[in-house]
C-alpha cells in the first residue's frame, strides 16, 4: 500500500499542475474569443473551462482515494491527517467554484485555495517519497 500511496501522490501532483494549465487555457481562450467590442459569450467561456471543471472532479476523487489508501494501508495518523486536510481543501475548492458562478469575488478565494492545494500536495508527494519508507530511528 505504501507504493500505491506514493504513486497516487505523484499522480495527484501532476493533475494539480495540469489543472492550473487548464485554468490558464480557459482564461486566455476567453480573451481570444472576445470580439472587437470586448465581449465574449458565456458559451465560449464555459467551453474554455470545461476541461478545468472535469479535471477538478477527478482530482477530488483522487484526493478521496488517497484518504482511503492512507487509512487502509495503516500508514499512520500523520498521513491520514494530511490526506484528510487535502481532501477538505478539495471540497472547499469545489464549493468556491460553484458559488463563484453567483458571487464573482469568490473567484479570488478559489485561486488562493488552489495555491494551498498545490503546496499541500507537493509537500505530501515529497514526504511520501522521502519519508514513508525511511527507517525510524530512536531519539538520542
Amino acid at each position: 500500500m505504501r507504493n500505491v500511496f506514493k504513486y497516487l501522490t505523484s499522480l495527484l501532483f501532476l493533475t494539480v499542475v495540469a489543472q492550473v494549465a487548464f485554468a490558464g487555457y480557459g482564461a486566455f481562450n476567453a480573451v481570444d474569443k472576445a470580439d472587437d467590442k470586448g465581449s465574449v459569450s458565456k458559451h465560449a467561456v464555459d467551453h474554455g473551462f470545461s476541461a478545468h471543471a472535469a479535471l477538478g472532479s477527478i482530482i477530488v476523487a483522487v484526493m478521496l482515494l488517497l484518504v482511503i489508501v492512507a487509512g487502509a494501508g495503516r500508514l499512520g495518523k500523520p498521513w491520514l491527517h494530511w490526506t484528510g486536510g487535502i481532501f477538505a481543501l478539495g471540497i472547499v475548492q469545489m464549493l468556491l467554484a460553484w458559488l463563484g458562478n453567483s458571487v464573482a469575488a469568490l473567484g479570488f478565494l478559489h485561486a488562493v485555495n488552489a495555491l494551498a492545494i498545490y503546496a499541500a500536495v507537493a509537500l505530501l508527494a515529497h514526504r511520501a517519497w522521502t519519508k514513508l519508507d525511511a527507517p525510524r530511528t530512536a531519539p538520542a
Side-chain angles (χ1 to χ4, degrees), residues 37-130:
K37 297 176 186 172
S39 65
V40 61
S41 72
K42 181 164 176 40
H43 173 73
V45 172
D46 286 344
H47 175 74
F49 280 99
S50 61
H52 178 76
L55 187 57
S57 298
I58 293 168
I59 286 172
V60 173
V62 173
M63 290 173 170
L64 176 59
L65 186 58
L66 268 175
V67 174
I68 293 168
V69 170
R74 299 179 186 188
L75 302 181
K77 283 188 178 182
W79 299 100
L80 199 54
H81 290 159
W82 264 98
T83 56
I86 288 171
F87 178 62
L89 287 172
I91 296 298
V92 168
Q93 189 71 342
M94 289 186 78
L95 288 172
L96 289 170
W98 181 68
L99 293 170
N101 286 326
S102 300
V103 183
L106 291 176
F108 175 82
L109 295 175
H110 182 75
V112 171
N113 193 54
L115 292 173
I117 290 171
Y118 175 86
V121 169
L123 282 170
L124 179 68
H126 173 73
R127 289 181 179 178
W129 283 94
T130 59

